[in-house]
Amino acid sequence: MDGNGRWAKSRGEKRTFGHRNAIDAVRNAINACNEIDIPYLTLYTFSSENWNRPTDEVDTLMNLLTETLLLEADEIFSKGLRMHVIGNLDKLPPLVKEQLLRVVELTKENTKGNLILAISYGSQNEILNAVKNISSDVKEGKVNVENIDEKLFESYLYTKDFPPVDLLIRTSGEIRISNFLLWQIAYAELQFLNVLWPDFTKDIFFQCIVDYQNKERRYGLTGEQIKIQ
């Protein structure tokens, strides 16, 4: 969800103004998924690298996250969505972590869809932690080296309970992944939009879905093989 700062700057405002005006775009994405029964939506909310931003911006983002959770918790619950959080939550301020886990607990029985917030998240760290944990389990005799395959490796990731990514959308015109779900997007369709995140609408999201539906997903096979299957 990129482009909040540039959106604010284009209006002569501070970057934090953009973050506050990005909430409607978040609602648009969630509502779009809810309307057409997309079962999993992951929002890259705050990266592990974002901790290096100016302190006042980080503080604003953390406060905004807490405020938004308090305001939107009932709405998320009423839509039947289950909320999950992936990332290094131990780096979060205690109140933010507490609010996140409260909404996770509140929605744990919901089955209409899954809203996944990637917070204090970095894919390289996730992969490194998985390698370390597998290595530790090998040392302790819990895992046999010969049994390590893609499925076992994925069971050590934050996303072990979720399917691989089908579609990744990045706003703001930047054409890069920025350390987001690097393992999980191996066969995802990628869409890079020249739209700043606060301007993201349901119609834009639906067009992304239409574009995705028109792709032939081959997973390394030929088009002819896909047709035979």
Side-chain angles (χ1 to χ4, degrees):
M1 302 182 289
D2 194 20
N4 297 342
R6 276 166 283 174
W7 186 89
K9 188 176 179 181
S10 71
R11 288 160 174 74
E13 301 284 352
K14 293 182 179 180
R15 292 174 56 84
T16 51
F17 178 77
H19 296 311
R20 290 192 174 278
N21 280 274
I23 302 303
D24 284 343
V26 172
R27 292 193 190 101
N28 290 336
I30 293 172
N31 290 335
C33 287
N34 199 52
E35 285 181 24
I36 58 177
D37 294 326
I38 293 176
Y40 293 90
L41 172 67
T42 303
L43 300 175
Y44 202 3
T45 308
F46 190 86
S47 76
S48 53
E49 290 76 23
N50 286 157
W51 290 113
N52 297 319
R53 290 191 174 187
T55 302
D56 62 335
E57 183 174 352
V58 172
D59 289 344
T60 296
L61 284 167
M62 290 296 111
N63 290 333
L64 182 59
L65 180 56
T66 302
E67 292 170 14
T68 304
L69 286 168
L70 289 171
L71 291 172
E72 303 294 332
D74 289 342
E75 181 73 10
I76 292 170
F77 183 82
S78 67
K79 283 184 167 65
L81 302 178
R82 181 176 180 180
M83 197 179 87
H84 312 263
V85 185
I86 59 174
N88 183 2
L89 302 190
D90 290 337
K91 293 193 70 173
L92 295 171
L95 180 59
V96 175
K97 181 178 178 180
E98 178 185 330
Q99 292 293 347
L100 282 167
L101 296 180
R102 187 181 74 83
V103 180
V104 168
E105 178 66 21
L106 174 70
T107 62
K108 69 179 182 180
E109 302 298 331
N110 288 355
T111 58
K112 182 72 189 304
N114 295 274
L115 174 62
I116 305 156
L117 303 184
I119 299 176
S120 189
Y121 173 85
S123 187
Q124 290 178 327
N125 284 336
E126 177 187 24
I127 292 169
L128 283 174
N129 286 337
V131 171
K132 290 176 182 177
N133 290 332
I134 292 172
S135 299
S136 177
D137 284 349
V138 168
K139 279 185 178 181
E140 295 178 13
K142 298 177 181 178
V143 171
N144 190 314
V145 172
E146 285 72 23
N147 293 332
I148 298 175
D149 56 12
E150 288 89 346
K151 186 176 181 180
L152 185 140
F153 184 82
E154 288 169 356
S155 72
Y156 283 80
L157 297 175
Y158 292 136
T159 55
K160 61 182 181 295
D161 296 322
F162 314 134
V165 176
D166 290 311
L167 171 64
L168 184 147
I169 301 170
R170 179 168 184 150
T171 56
S172 87
E174 302 290 355
I175 304 176
R176 59 174 179 266
I177 305 303
S178 295
N179 201 15
F180 183 53
L181 298 174
L182 298 176
W183 175 278
Q184 297 87 342
I185 64 169
Y187 277 100
E189 299 293 333
L190 310 182
Q191 293 194 27
F192 300 96
L193 307 180
N194 287 312
V195 175
L196 300 177
W197 177 248
D199 293 326
F200 189 81
T201 65
K202 284 200 295 184
D203 285 343
I204 293 173
F205 199 166
F206 290 147
Q207 185 57 55
C208 289
I209 298 301
V210 171
D211 292 343
Y212 168 82
Q213 290 173 325
N214 288 324
K215 300 287 186 181
E216 182 180 66
R217 309 195 73 206
R218 296 190 295 274
Y219 298 96
L221 302 178
T222 66
E224 289 74 16
Q225 287 175 301
I226 294 295
K227 289 174 184 176
I228 291 172
Q229 290 181 342

